[in-house]
Every structure is written in C-alpha cells, then in structure tokens.
Amino acid sequence: MRFIGLLLLSLLALNCLAQKEEIEFKEYSYTEFFQMIEEETDSVFRLENAIIKYGDPKDSLFFLTQLGTEKIFHREDTIVVTKEVRLENVLFSNSVPDSLSNPSGGKGRLRSTLYQIRFLEEVWLKNCDLLSVDRCVFDKLLNVKYDDKYPDVKDQWIQSGFASWNDIKNSTFYGGVDYSSFTNEYINTNWGLISCVIHPAKDGLGNSFWYRKQNNFWITDCTFLGEGPLFIRAWEGDQLNIDRNQFGKQQVSMQIGTEGPIQRIEISQNNFDNIILMTLPVLKEDDNVDWDQFRNGIVNRDAYILFYNYITFYKLGSIEDFIPDEDDLFSTKNIDYYFNTARIKDAKVNRDEMKLLGKLYNHYRLQHAAKFANGVFIEMKDLETANLAYIYQENPTFDSFFQWKINQFLKLFADYGTRPSKAIVFAVYVIAFFALIYLFFPNSWDAHGRTRIMDRYRFFLKYLNRDEGASEVYQEEKEKELLPFHEFREVLEREGKTAPKFFYATALPLYKWSVSGSRLSGWFLSKIDVLNGKWSEVPEKGKFFKSALVIGAFIIALIYDLFIKVLNAVMLSINTFTTLGFGEIPIKGLPRYLAIIQGFIGWFMLTIFSVSLISQLLN
C-alpha cells in the first residue's frame, strides 16, 4: 500500500511538472505571418505556439496608430485572406518602434494590430491574444476558444513583457461569432466587441459569448441583425459590460454570475425587440441593469429551461396539452407559450418569475431608482392580475372575482398606486362624463333650467318689436324678480322716517346694492342700443348693419347662456364626485340615481388616490 501511495505521488508530481513545462514559441513578423498565409498551398492555414511581433519595416502596413486625436493610416487598400485560418497559442504583440508610432519623431499610442483585413473563410482562434482588431470583415464564423492551457500560455506571454487587451472594433461579422472560455482558472485577459455589426451564425446555432474566469468582457455599441438566437454567459470576473447595443429580433438568452461572482455588472441602454431570457445573481448596489430596455418582456431563463425539460423529456404534460417544438429550445412558439400561458397558469413557474422580478425590484429600491422600481412593480402586478383571472376561471367565486377586478381597476386608475397623476386624469374623465349627462337635465342650481335659451329668444323678439329700448325691455323682464326689493323700498319710505335714523341710513344702501346689478345692466344696454325703435321701422339703408349688430349680440348672449349651463353641470358633477354636497341631490329624474353612483365612484377613487399619493411620498 505504501508503495502504491508513493507511486501515485510520483505520478502527480510528474504531471504537475508536465503542466508547468514551458511552451517554445516561434517568432514571426507581421509581414512573414501574412506571407505564410498567402503561400499556404492547402485551403486551411494552421499555426501553433507563435508570437507575431514587429520585426520588419513593412509591418507598419498592418498598423493603425494614433497621436492624440489624429489617426495615422499606413495603407488604404484591404488585405483579403482567402484561406481558412486556424491558430492555437498564437500571440500578437503591439510592441512597436517609436518611429512607427510617429514617423516625424516622438511617441504615439498604438490603436490596433490587425487593420482593414477581410477573411473570406472561417477563423478559428484557440488560446490566442489578438490585441486590437479594427475595421475588419469576417465573411464566415469567427470562433474564439480558451481552455485550461491558456493560463500557462498567458504567463509566458506576460513574463516576456507583453500585455494584452483583446477588442474588435468597427468590424462586420457575416457568419456570426462563437466566443467560449472553458478554463477553470482565472485567465487574466480582457475581451470585447465595440461598434460592430453581427449577422446570425449560418450554422443555425446562434451567436454565442461564454465568459468565464476573465478580467473584463464587454459588448458595446454593436448591432445584431436577423432573428437567430444569441447566448451570453458570464461566470466570474471583474466586469461585464453589455451596453448601448441594438439587438433587433434576436432571441437573447443571458446567464449571468451563476458559477462565480462578477465584481460589476453593466447591462444598460440596450434595445431589445424580443422577450429576454435572463438568469441573474443577487445584484450589488453599483451594478446597473436598466429596466426600460426590457419593454418586450423578460423571463427567468432557468425556470423556462426547467419547464421545457418537463414537458419534452419527462412528458409530464402541460396546460392545455401544449405540444412544444422539441427541435428548438428557444423557438418563438415555445417562448411565446411560456410567456403568455405557462408563467400565468403554472403555479411553480409563476413563483419563479416573481423571484426574478422581485430580485430586480429590490435592486432598484437599493439604488433609489424609483422609476425602474415602479416599472418592475407594475410588471409584477400585471402578472399577478393575469394569474388571478386564471384562478377565477378555474374556481369562480366572489372572492377570486373581486381580487381580479380590483387589480384591474388599480391598474387602470393609478398603475397599482405608482402614478397618482393618472388618477387625476381618470377623475377628470369621470367628472366630464357625468357633467355631459347633467347638461341635458334640469337641476336646482340652474335657476332658468330648460327655459334659459327660450327666455333669451323671448327677450330679443320683444326688443325688436317694441318702441322701447333694450334697457326698458330688460327692466321689464326683471320687474318680477325685483318686486320684493321695490316693496322693501316702499316700506322703508313709509315707516323708516318715523323710526330712528339708523334704520333708514343702513337700509337704503342695502336696497341700492340689491338692485345695483340690474340697474348697471340696464345702463349698459342703454349705451349700446342701436335700434331706437322697432326693427320694422329701420330704414333699408342701415338695416344690414344693425341686423349684424343685433345678431352678434344675440350670439354672444347665447354663448354666455350655454357657458353658464355647462358650468352648472360641471360644478354639479364635481360636487357629486367629491361628495361635498349637503345631503340633498340638486337634480331630478334618472340623473338623480346616476349621481349616487358617481358619488360612490368618487369616494372610492379619491380614497385610492390618497393612498397612492401617500405611498409615493413615503417611497
């Protein structure tokens, strides 16, 4: 047994020494590298364990350098690579002479090593550092892989005095991208796409980005075309950035931080035109995941896959006997069914979806991002409302019906209490609707009621057919209304002089003030009177002008009457809605019963408005 143990230890030691064995790198200049590709007789160019570095004056043709804001292009044409390229453990150095950075002297900053190159066939990179790539075109798939051998390659690379920052900018991928890091060790590198256009992968498997044990990974300002799937998986690293991208109809599946912590997550300002499948860790305060980019919906990726497996592999059946598309996990048919049916009707799926939304809601509350928190809360309540509708459908009781309808009302009235302003707008609609009804029915607040407009016609017809002017006709119309005041004046004249002067002195101004409005109106009418007699006696020469004035005055008076009538209806509606009446409903007929209904609606809506407002203030 002791011998076997020693033998195992020896084998383990030999294995460790083998792992630490240094790789022998061959060095080539950029000119030599591209010359080897051109001279390759096979359709595939292969290269392993090499360093591509500046070593020939002609190498400047492959560089783009920058001095401050000035870019220096060393060639204008595009290099076309016609062969398939397969590289393993190949490292591209950006160490260049100062004369290349600035031919006129001084130092510049290298911007990219591979510039304006078109690859007509597939490009396979395994454990390679590209450094920067700018304005290149990949007609077929770009396949980038890292495995457990890469850290050893990387260590030798760093010990040689080189450092890498892998990014691809302003490039187009017609065959898609497959980026995968399978290493279990921290690979200490950075990789990303900036301002690129990515077409769907032609193999039908979709574009894929698997980030694992890495410093930083980013996809920024990129445009993804077509409707093929896109997979993004990020496990352990310093920073993940997915921001300002246009994803179009891509079916995006994100699995973030499930096997190790990511120090900072930035998923923001993207445009997703499809439902997003996402798995998220517990987010930290400095993580940013914008809610408004998920306007087409977001679902729990893990819950979706588990549900799919149950109804396909285990044949456990599903709601409404759904037959899934077993050939394509991420098909539109499967995801639409899950989003519109399964997460509403399946209790476990519904709970898992609530967990994802709750995680985002708590994160936004932690960040004090009220707008995003409210958006997630509305989504949670919408899902709850849909689930309540299904519960009522399965078990129709008053309680389930009430919960369902109260949720619908809260959504319509105040977005579940997140928008008190919406309640005010809705209240205005209710007040206007009932005011329109009250407009066609008499109420005690309108003294003239239905006869208001007819009284106006009567006044003008009398004015046009009598010798008296508008002031006299008006005083006559008001006589019955002023009679109590005239009687008061007679009593004052008859008996006030035999009483203490105080009564006469104070009562006379009261009388004058009571009739002042009618006298002022009469005085105004006497000043604007244009007829001075009957209409029939007006000479033909001035008849048109005076008729225009009279008709204009009539229209103005009619508009005033209509305004007063509308105002009375609106005030009655507001009074009823706010329940500020004095117990007596100032209207008769059918609207009297509608007023009771409006009062109940107003009480209910104002209560919810108050609660919504207080909730927002507390938040």
Side-chain angles (χ1 to χ4, degrees):
M1 291 295 292
R2 182 177 298 177
F3 173 76
I4 294 174
L6 291 173
L7 180 61
L8 290 175
L9 288 174
S10 300
L11 290 173
L12 181 62
L14 288 173
N15 183 51
C16 291
L17 289 173
Q19 286 183 350
K20 292 297 183 179
E21 182 180 354
E22 290 191 356
I23 301 172
E24 183 179 350
F25 286 97
K26 296 181 180 179
E27 295 186 359
Y28 302 94
S29 70
Y30 280 89
T31 302
E32 291 174 328
F33 173 70
F34 283 98
Q35 187 174 353
M36 285 190 298
I37 295 177
E38 185 176 353
E39 293 175 352
E40 176 64 53
T41 57
D42 194 358
S43 60
V44 180
F45 172 78
R46 291 180 173 86
L47 182 65
E48 296 181 6
N49 305 330
I51 294 176
I52 313 301
K53 60 187 295 185
Y54 182 86
D56 188 303
K58 294 181 180 179
D59 285 356
S60 62
L61 295 176
F62 304 99
F63 292 113
L64 162 66
T65 57
Q66 182 167 336
L67 302 173
T69 58
E70 180 187 0
K71 293 183 179 180
I72 300 175
F73 302 89
H74 300 280
R75 61 180 166 83
E76 296 181 358
D77 61 315
T78 298
I79 296 175
V80 179
V81 177
T82 61
K83 299 178 179 64
E84 180 178 324
V85 177
R86 289 180 175 264
L87 308 179
E88 183 174 352
N89 302 342
V90 176
L91 309 172
F92 292 82
S93 168
N94 65 348
S95 178
V96 296
D98 292 341
S99 59
L100 175 62
S101 295
N102 187 356
S104 61
K107 292 185 178 182
R109 185 165 67 88
L110 181 69
R111 289 291 294 179
S112 78
T113 53
L114 298 179
Y115 162 67
Q116 204 161 303
I117 302 172
R118 182 158 194 166
F119 297 89
L120 300 184
E121 300 297 330
E122 292 185 357
V123 177
W124 294 74
L125 307 174
K126 184 176 180 181
N127 297 333
C128 297
D129 274 338
L130 273 179
L131 302 181
S132 293
V133 173
D134 197 348
R135 307 183 194 193
C136 290
V137 176
F138 298 82
D139 282 17
K140 295 186 178 179
L141 178 69
L142 171 64
N143 193 306
V144 182
K145 294 287 185 289
Y146 295 93
D147 61 20
D148 285 335
K149 294 181 180 179
Y150 177 74
D152 295 335
V153 177
K154 185 72 174 182
D155 286 343
Q156 288 184 240
W157 180 241
I158 295 174
Q159 289 171 10
S160 301
F162 301 117
S164 66
W165 188 277
N166 298 297
D167 59 52
I168 302 179
K169 309 170 194 170
N170 308 309
S171 298
T172 302
F173 300 86
Y174 289 108
V177 180
D178 185 359
Y179 171 91
S180 302
S181 172
F182 294 109
T183 178
N184 287 313
E185 297 186 38
Y186 199 68
I187 67 175
N188 189 33
T189 190
N190 304 281
W191 204 93
L193 298 177
I194 302 173
S195 301
C196 293
V197 177
I198 301 97
H199 292 255
K202 294 180 180 179
D203 57 10
L205 298 178
N207 294 303
S208 179
F209 300 92
W210 291 33
Y211 150 173
R212 188 175 186 180
K213 303 280 188 177
Q214 189 164 308
N215 275 10
N216 300 301
F217 185 91
W218 67 97
I219 303 174
T220 301
D221 288 321
C222 292
T223 300
F224 291 81
L225 301 176
E227 299 184 3
L230 169 64
F231 304 98
I232 299 175
R233 299 182 183 180
W235 305 326
E236 192 171 350
D238 290 346
Q239 185 161 328
L240 168 68
N241 279 76
I242 303 173
D243 58 317
R244 302 191 301 276
N245 299 291
Q246 300 290 325
F247 286 99
K249 292 296 181 180
Q250 293 278 324
Q251 181 57 68
V252 182
S253 172
M254 293 189 187
Q255 190 175 4
I256 311 299
T258 56
E259 293 188 7
I262 298 175
Q263 299 305 316
R264 189 173 186 279
I265 298 171
E266 180 82 26
I267 305 174
S268 61
Q269 302 181 60
N270 298 291
N271 181 28
F272 296 104
D273 283 342
N274 212 334
I275 299 171
I276 305 303
L277 281 70
M278 180 172 285
T279 302
L280 282 173
V282 176
L283 298 170
K284 302 177 292 298
E285 187 173 1
D286 60 344
D287 292 333
N288 290 321
V289 181
D290 294 353
W291 172 252
D292 53 4
Q293 61 191 336
F294 306 125
R295 62 183 182 278
N296 290 293
I298 180 173
V299 299
N300 188 322
R301 179 186 179 277
D302 292 345
Y304 168 74
I305 293 176
L306 181 63
F307 176 80
Y308 176 84
N309 288 337
Y310 270 121
I311 62 177
T312 53
F313 302 121
Y314 299 110
K315 306 297 182 183
L316 295 180
S318 60
I319 305 163
E320 299 177 355
D321 297 325
F322 172 66
I323 301 175
D325 184 352
E326 298 186 21
D327 296 329
D328 186 0
L329 168 62
F330 299 100
S331 70
T332 301
K333 174 186 175 182
N334 291 340
I335 294 176
D336 284 350
Y337 173 78
Y338 179 88
F339 186 78
N340 297 312
T341 304
R343 73 187 192 119
I344 294 170
K345 298 181 178 182
D346 187 290
K348 184 182 184 307
V349 173
N350 183 269
R351 186 168 60 251
D352 288 338
E353 290 300 319
M354 284 295 188
K355 288 179 183 178
L356 173 63
L357 295 173
K359 189 180 294 184
L360 288 169
Y361 178 73
N362 292 334
H363 174 62
Y364 296 138
R365 293 291 300 273
L366 179 66
Q367 289 187 321
H368 306 286
K371 179 182 177 182
F372 289 165
N374 286 341
V376 180
F377 182 73
I378 291 172
E379 180 67 18
M380 294 171 69
K381 296 298 289 185
D382 282 344
L383 183 56
E384 179 186 283
T385 302
N387 179 250
L388 288 171
Y390 171 71
I391 292 173
Y392 173 73
Q393 179 184 349
E394 294 296 305
N395 182 28
T397 64
F398 173 77
D399 184 60
S400 59
F401 177 80
F402 182 80
Q403 290 187 57
W404 169 35
K405 288 302 177 183
I406 198 67
N407 265 32
Q408 284 186 324
F409 179 80
L410 290 174
K411 171 61 182 297
L412 177 66
F413 183 64
D415 281 352
Y416 304 109
T418 62
R419 284 180 59 193
S421 59
K422 190 176 181 181
I424 297 296
V425 174
F426 196 85
V428 170
Y429 291 153
V430 173
I431 289 171
F433 173 75
F434 281 94
L436 184 64
I437 296 175
Y438 299 149
L439 183 63
F440 298 100
F441 292 88
N443 62 78
S444 59
W445 286 14
D446 190 350
H448 294 274
R450 299 177 184 176
T451 65
R452 174 180 291 275
I453 297 177
M454 290 188 288
D455 288 343
R456 189 64 65 185
Y457 272 98
R458 186 182 298 110
F459 171 81
F460 272 86
L461 289 173
K462 187 184 292 186
Y463 165 62
L464 292 170
N465 290 283
R466 294 178 59 172
D467 289 328
E468 294 84 353
S471 177
E472 288 76 10
V473 174
Y474 174 78
Q475 294 294 340
E476 183 180 328
E477 290 284 326
K478 288 288 185 178
E479 190 63 32
K480 185 176 180 180
E481 182 182 332
L482 297 175
L483 183 60
F485 302 107
H486 295 325
E487 291 177 349
F488 175 74
R489 174 62 185 270
E490 292 175 2
V491 172
L492 183 62
E493 292 293 342
R494 185 174 63 250
E495 300 181 3
K497 294 181 180 180
T498 60
K501 292 183 179 180
F502 168 80
F503 291 97
Y504 186 84
T506 55
L508 186 60
L510 178 62
Y511 164 76
K512 291 181 179 180
W513 177 79
S514 300
V515 299
S516 62
S518 299
R519 288 183 175 178
L520 181 62
S521 298
W523 174 83
F524 178 74
L525 289 173
S526 66
K527 296 299 181 182
I528 63 171
D529 197 343
V530 296
L531 281 184
N532 297 321
K534 297 179 181 179
W535 169 254
S536 58
E537 297 175 354
V538 175
E540 290 295 331
K541 185 177 180 180
K543 212 167 193 177
F544 176 80
F545 175 71
K546 291 189 176 182
S547 66
L549 292 176
V550 171
I551 292 173
F554 172 76
I555 292 175
I556 292 173
L558 196 62
I559 292 173
Y560 170 77
D561 290 336
L562 290 173
F563 171 75
I564 294 299
K565 193 168 183 62
V566 171
L567 183 62
N568 283 331
V570 172
M571 291 300 104
L572 175 59
S573 183
I574 293 174
N575 178 74
T576 307
F577 182 85
T578 57
T579 65
L580 296 177
F582 304 104
E584 175 63 27
I585 300 175
I587 197 167
K588 297 179 181 180
L590 177 62
R592 186 179 184 90
Y593 303 101
L594 294 178
I596 297 174
I597 296 174
Q598 185 189 11
F600 176 77
I601 294 173
W603 166 78
F604 191 71
M605 292 173 64
L606 290 175
T607 301
I608 296 177
F609 166 73
S610 301
V611 173
S612 301
L613 183 60
I614 292 171
S615 174
Q616 291 302 299
L617 290 174
L618 291 177
N619 286 336

